[in-house]
Amino acid sequence: MTDPKPYEPPKVWTWDKESGGTFASINRPIAGATHEKALPVGKHPFQLYSQGTPNGVKVTVMLEELLAAGHDAEYDAWLISIGKGDQFGSGFVGANPNSKIPALVDHTGAEPVRVFESASILMHLAEKFGAFLPASGPARTETLNWLFWQMGSAPYLGGGFGHFYAYAPEKWEYPINRFAMEVKRQLDVLDRHLADNEWMAGGDYSIADMAIWPWYGGLVKGWQYGAAEFLDVASYTNVVEWAERIYARPAVKRGRMVNRTAGDPATQLHERHDASDFELRTQDKLDAAE
């Protein structure tokens, strides 16, 4: 039996078939809408269109933290089911031409303002309410350092390691080893930093913590890719302790429920339109009412 012939890239790449694996049907090499579908608009100043992935959780945690702190940040959270291609509807593409969740539309001004990319949404809300981001000086810079560290690093965790370890149609040693090495390096960056800091920016809890926690906190808590043992996440004790400190916050627990469609139905709140929804409209209660 001979080894298969090594892959040789063509001179010009063309898209002639899906690559296989989880999410293959929602990936394509072109942008734009595939169908007409307007976005719903609720009664609150902020309209969020998202799903409870790590990038989506960043924003729902921020909104719930703002509400917990007494800010007028009421919001409607509409489910965008990426597995069904909702992100390619014309309304969503209008809110985010990159067709990725989350997208926020701010209706607090004379004209609606679209905000896309999770870090941009966090900064928009932080600056609007003067919360979770220092207004100036070194503390602001350090917060933004870590916010953008997450934005640059998480693609290696999700799109790299997560894809090849959990979602690719086959297990391939080279990419798994390559991305596992990088994820462990990132965990070490966090662990060394958190050895001397309670929160990511070194001062108060901030949008840097909210951005990093859904990815790396979820990883060390065993929620991501079934890879906790493989990556020996328990050895990053400072990251584990930081992740637990954040998960102890009631607003974080609520934020993680919003637009969630997997796991325990009692923790799934597919859409959020009122604070009472956490008690009355989780998926287990909707199922029981049918």
Side-chain angles (χ1 to χ4, degrees):
M1 183 176 180
T2 60
D3 293 333
K5 183 180 178 181
Y7 171 68
E8 295 183 8
K11 290 184 178 181
V12 178
W13 184 86
T14 58
W15 185 49
D16 56 3
K17 62 179 180 180
E18 293 179 356
S19 59
T22 307
F23 306 124
S25 64
I26 68 172
N27 293 319
R28 57 197 182 108
I30 56 174
T34 60
H35 59 282
E36 291 294 320
K37 185 176 182 180
L39 288 176
V41 178
K43 62 183 179 180
H44 294 305
F46 298 102
Q47 299 294 302
L48 178 66
Y49 306 95
S50 189
Q51 188 168 341
T53 69
N55 283 333
V57 168
K58 296 176 193 178
V59 178
T60 49
V61 164
M62 175 62 164
L63 288 162
E64 289 298 325
E65 290 282 15
L66 287 168
L67 289 168
H71 296 286
D72 185 15
E74 270 294 351
Y75 69 103
D76 291 279
W78 304 91
L79 177 63
I80 298 297
S81 181
I82 58 177
K84 297 177 181 178
D86 290 350
Q87 70 275 32
F88 300 122
S90 57
F92 189 84
V93 173
N96 183 357
N98 196 39
S99 292
K100 301 290 184 180
I101 61 94
L104 179 78
V105 180
D106 179 346
H107 292 267
T108 60
E111 296 291 335
V113 175
R114 72 177 187 182
V115 195
F116 60 90
E117 289 296 327
S118 55
S120 181
I121 297 173
L122 292 178
M123 287 187 65
H124 177 82
L125 292 170
E127 290 176 339
K128 177 175 283 289
F129 292 104
F132 304 114
L133 174 64
S136 61
R140 178 184 175 87
T141 299
E142 184 69 356
T143 304
L144 297 181
N145 287 341
W146 287 108
L147 175 65
F148 289 106
W149 175 87
Q150 185 277 319
M151 294 296 287
S153 297
Y156 288 96
L157 170 55
F161 175 78
H163 174 77
F164 286 105
Y165 185 81
Y167 302 137
E170 299 177 40
K171 303 294 188 202
W172 294 301
E173 182 178 5
Y174 175 80
I176 290 174
N177 284 346
R178 169 67 180 86
F179 287 110
M181 177 177 64
E182 175 60 15
V183 169
K184 288 183 71 66
R185 187 192 69 81
Q186 292 173 8
L187 285 168
D188 194 45
V189 168
L190 291 172
D191 202 60
R192 290 169 185 264
H193 177 70
L194 289 165
D196 301 315
N197 296 279
E198 182 179 12
W199 305 113
M200 286 307 306
D204 297 327
Y205 175 67
S206 72
I207 58 173
D209 299 282
M210 296 179 206
I212 295 168
W213 181 81
W215 284 101
Y216 297 89
L219 186 67
V220 300
K221 285 189 68 62
W223 298 334
Q224 307 276 84
Y225 316 124
E229 182 179 9
F230 178 77
L231 294 170
D232 188 24
V233 297
S235 67
Y236 302 97
T237 56
N238 300 310
V239 182
V240 171
E241 291 172 3
W242 165 84
E244 292 297 340
R245 281 196 297 276
I246 293 178
Y247 192 53
R249 300 176 69 91
V252 172
K253 288 186 171 68
R254 291 194 299 272
R256 189 170 179 265
M257 293 171 64
V258 179
N259 297 143
R260 184 171 172 78
T261 59
D264 181 357
T267 67
Q268 296 180 34
L269 184 62
H270 290 189
E271 292 189 354
R272 186 266 191 215
H273 303 290
D274 188 86
S276 65
D277 290 345
F278 291 102
E279 299 297 328
L280 303 177
R281 298 191 60 80
T282 51
Q283 192 58 38
D284 61 326
K285 292 184 175 65
L286 297 181
D287 291 342
E290 290 182 352

